[in-house]
Amino acid sequence: MPYNEPGTLAMLLDRNVKSDDAFFDLLRFLSTKALERDPARLGELAQALAEEAAARVG
């Protein structure tokens, strides 16, 4: 596993996790861990992703 290569690891997980439910469960779990590590950094990331999602949906 390419643990020190986040982009490669993300692509590997995206390709191998077939279920959307499992994918978003993984994302939720990682977000919870990120919240424990650095709440401010997670907040900035979440805000940027929410803005990008709103732009794509709207």
Side-chain angles (χ1 to χ4, degrees), residues 13-50:
L13 290 170
D14 182 45
R15 185 178 67 230
N16 291 326
V17 177
K18 302 298 182 197
S19 162
D20 283 351
D21 289 339
F23 179 85
F24 282 99
D25 286 346
L26 172 63
L27 188 57
R28 183 181 307 277
F29 180 77
L30 287 173
S31 297
T32 300
K33 290 302 193 179
L35 185 59
E36 293 172 7
R37 285 181 177 224
D38 191 337
R41 192 169 177 180
L42 178 62
E44 291 171 2
L45 176 61
Q47 180 65 37
L49 290 172

